[in-house]
Amino acid sequence: MRFSSFIYLIKEGFKNLFVNYLMSFSSIGVLMACLVLVGGSYLITVNVNYVVEQVEQQNELVIFLEDDATSEQKSAVKTLLDELNDVVSYRYISPQEALEEQMDTLGEDVLAGLEEDNPLPPSFRVKLGTLANLDDVIYQFSQVTGITKINAPTAIAGTLTNIKNLIYIFGIGIVVILALVSLVIITNTIRITVFSRRREINIMKYVGATNAFIRQPFVVEGALIGLFSSALAYGIIYFAYDRVLLWMEEHNISWLTSSTQQVLLPFSEVYLVLAVTFLVVGVFTGILGSTFSMRKYLKV
C-alpha cells in the first residue's frame, strides 16, 4: 500500500468517526466499558493470587532431626534443601537456639533447669515459595535418614492450592466471557452505523468500487474506535487502581501480609500486560466488528 493511500484511509476513518459521532461515541463507550470490566477482572485475579502467595510464603516447614544426628545426615538434609526448587530459604536451629527461642516466648521461669538437660532436638526451618508441591517435598525428606518428624501446614497447603486453582479458572472464565460479550456488542453497535450508511455503500458498489476499497475505511474506523476505547479504559483502570493503592496506604491496611509488603501488586507489575491486552483486544474487536457488520451490505 502506498503512503498516500494509507493517509487517505486514516483521513476517511477519522471523517467517518465525526460524521457519525453519536454512533461512534456509543461504540467507544460500550467497548471501553467492556475493557474496564476485563481489566478489573484481571486485576482482581492477579491480586488475590498475590495475597495467597504471600500467605504461602509465611508458612514454614520444620524438619526435626535425631538428637544424635551425625554431620553426614545433616549434610544430606542440606544437600536436598539446596536441590529443591520450591525451597526459598532455610535455617539450621541447634538445640540451644531452640531452647533460647522458647525461653523468649514462654519465659525463662517456665523452662528453668532445662539448660543442663535440653530435650529439644536440632531442626531445619524451611520457607517454601509455594505449597503446591508440599506432599512431594515431604516424601523426599522422609527418605533421608536421621529425620524424626516433619511439621508441615498440609491443611493450609490444600486450601490455598484449591483457592488458587479456583481463582485462576474463575478469572480466565470471566475474561473470556467479557471478551465475547464485547465482540457481540461492538459488532451490533457498528452494524447500526453501517446500516445508516447502506445507501452510500450501495452507490459505491454500483459505480464500480471494489469490496476492499469500500471496506478499508470502515476497518480503519473500527480500529480507531478500538484504539480510543483502549486508551480511555486504560486511563480509567490506572486512575482507579492508583486511588485504591493510595487509600490503602493512607489507612495502613496490611491484612494477611507483613508491614513491609503491599496488600496489592504495584501497578508497575501489571501495566504492560494491561496495555498490550487493551490495545490488542480493542483494535482487534473494532476491526472484527466492522468486518462482520459490512458483509451483508457488500452483496449487491
Side-chain angles (χ1 to χ4, degrees), residues 53-276:
E53 288 174 359
Q54 298 307 312
V55 175
E56 281 186 323
Q57 292 177 7
Q58 293 178 15
N59 287 285
E60 285 187 334
L61 180 73
V62 183
I63 303 172
F64 293 100
L65 306 177
E66 296 175 351
D67 293 334
D68 56 351
T70 64
S71 58
E72 289 78 10
Q73 290 173 330
K74 295 177 183 178
S75 297
V77 176
K78 289 182 178 180
T79 300
L80 183 56
L81 287 170
D82 291 330
E83 291 176 351
L84 291 174
N85 294 327
D86 293 325
V87 174
V88 175
S89 63
Y90 65 88
R91 185 165 67 98
Y92 173 74
I93 306 295
S94 67
Q96 183 61 33
E97 289 176 320
L99 181 60
E100 291 174 358
E101 288 183 358
Q102 292 299 320
M103 285 183 171
D104 290 338
T105 303
L106 302 176
E108 294 185 7
D109 295 337
V110 176
L111 301 177
L114 293 180
E115 293 89 343
E116 300 299 328
D117 186 19
N118 189 349
L120 300 178
S123 63
F124 282 92
R125 292 183 184 173
V126 184
K127 183 169 289 188
L128 302 175
T130 175
L131 298 179
N133 302 320
L134 181 60
D135 291 338
D136 182 58
V137 172
I138 294 175
Y139 174 77
Q140 292 189 59
F141 279 109
S142 67
Q143 306 303 306
V144 180
T145 59
I147 294 177
T148 59
K149 184 181 178 182
I150 300 175
N151 282 352
T154 52
I156 295 177
T159 302
L160 292 179
T161 300
N162 291 334
I163 290 175
K164 287 182 69 175
N165 292 336
L166 286 175
I167 290 170
Y168 179 78
I169 295 172
F170 176 78
I172 293 296
I174 290 296
V175 169
V176 170
I177 290 172
L178 289 175
L180 292 175
V181 170
S182 301
L183 180 59
V184 172
I185 293 177
I186 198 66
T187 299
N188 290 332
T189 305
I190 295 179
R191 182 176 286 124
I192 297 174
T193 304
V194 176
F195 177 79
S196 66
R197 297 161 65 183
R198 64 191 183 280
R199 291 184 179 177
E200 175 187 342
I201 296 173
N202 289 338
I203 292 173
M204 294 177 69
K205 283 287 293 182
Y206 282 125
V207 298
T210 63
N211 289 345
F213 181 83
I214 299 173
R215 184 185 292 114
Q216 285 174 353
F218 287 95
V219 170
V220 172
E221 180 183 355
L224 291 174
I225 289 175
L227 184 62
F228 291 144
S229 302
S230 301
L232 291 171
Y234 185 83
I236 291 173
I237 288 290
Y238 172 78
F239 178 80
Y241 197 76
D242 183 66
R243 293 298 95 188
V244 171
L245 287 176
L246 183 61
W247 180 82
M248 287 184 170
E249 183 179 340
E250 290 176 348
H251 291 77
N252 195 27
I253 296 177
S254 58
W255 65 82
L256 296 179
T257 59
S258 68
S259 58
T260 59
Q261 295 170 323
Q262 289 185 308
V263 177
L264 301 180
L265 281 170
F267 195 75
S268 59
E269 296 288 333
V270 296
Y271 81 96
L272 186 59
V273 174
L274 280 177
V276 173

